[in-house]
């Protein structure tokens, strides 16, 4: 497989607890996707697997530890040159908190019915997160 240098590979976790999902609010001064609610995650570094990037990003952004996921992502979105790999996360160690204050100014748990009231990083998140809110994902 050849590497497309213009492609941006990203991973995110959909943390689920009691029918709610955790979203992070991107600071208004961010260059990319400012002032919107987004999933915790980030860029996959060169030489890093998707699973390794997810573990690292959730530690860096939320201060939680997760087991490296096995298998393929739950869902992969392609928007322009961005490839977003999503994993459903139902177990972690630690209490999620906003560790990446330079990236986010808030984190919050939301129910699927709350999503339409939010400015989300991408409109497809509403349907994706509705699917994720069901027990089977």
């Amino acid at each position: 497989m050849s590497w497309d240098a213009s492609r941006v590979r990203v991973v995110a976790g959909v943390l689920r607890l009691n029918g709610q999902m955790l979203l992070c609010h991107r600071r208004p001064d961010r260059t990319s996707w400012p002032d919107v609610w987004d999933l915790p995650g980030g860029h996959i570094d060169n030489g890093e697997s998707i699973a390794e990037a997810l573990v690292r990003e959730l530690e860096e952004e939320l201060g939680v530890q997760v087991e490296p996921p096995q298998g393929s992502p739950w869902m992969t979105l392609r928007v322009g040159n961005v490839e977003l790999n999503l994993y459903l996360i139902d177990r972690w160690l630690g209490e999620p908190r906003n560790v990446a204050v330079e990236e986010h100014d808030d984190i919050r748990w939301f129910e699927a019915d709350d999503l339409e009231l939010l400015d989300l990083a991408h409109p497809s998140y509403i349907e994706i997160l509705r699917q994720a809110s069901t027990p089977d994902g």
Side-chain angles (χ1 to χ4, degrees):
M1 174 194 288
S2 64
W3 175 250
D4 179 354
S6 68
R7 184 173 59 151
V8 178
R9 296 176 65 224
V10 181
V11 65
V14 181
L15 276 71
R16 307 185 299 179
L17 181 66
N18 299 325
Q20 295 185 319
M21 291 151 295
L22 187 70
L23 296 177
C24 302
H25 187 263
R26 294 178 62 84
R27 295 174 54 96
D29 58 359
R30 297 290 296 168
T31 304
S32 301
W33 293 286
D35 203 23
V36 293
W37 289 94
D38 203 358
L39 293 164
H43 290 88
I44 300 168
D45 292 338
N46 286 337
E48 188 175 45
S49 73
I50 298 172
E52 291 167 338
L54 180 68
V55 170
R56 176 183 53 75
E57 286 287 347
L58 294 180
E59 171 74 28
E60 289 175 0
E61 293 192 3
L62 302 175
V64 297
Q65 291 84 44
V66 297
E67 290 289 323
Q70 302 298 310
S72 299
W74 169 66
M75 184 178 291
T76 300
L77 300 174
R78 289 176 181 83
V79 180
N81 68 331
V82 176
E83 175 188 284
L84 174 59
N85 299 277
L86 299 174
Y87 284 94
L88 298 175
I89 307 294
D90 294 319
R91 294 190 339 242
W92 57 87
L93 294 176
E95 184 66 30
R97 61 193 192 287
N98 185 18
V99 178
V101 294
E102 70 284 353
E103 293 184 36
H104 308 120
D105 56 11
D106 195 7
I107 66 168
R108 254 189 250 167
W109 293 97
F110 292 99
E111 294 184 7
D113 291 344
D114 300 329
L115 299 174
E116 290 184 20
L117 304 174
L118 302 175
D119 264 338
L120 296 169
H122 195 270
S124 66
Y125 276 11
I126 292 175
E127 183 54 36
I128 290 165
L129 294 173
R130 282 191 192 286
Q131 287 178 38
S133 71
T134 64
D136 297 335

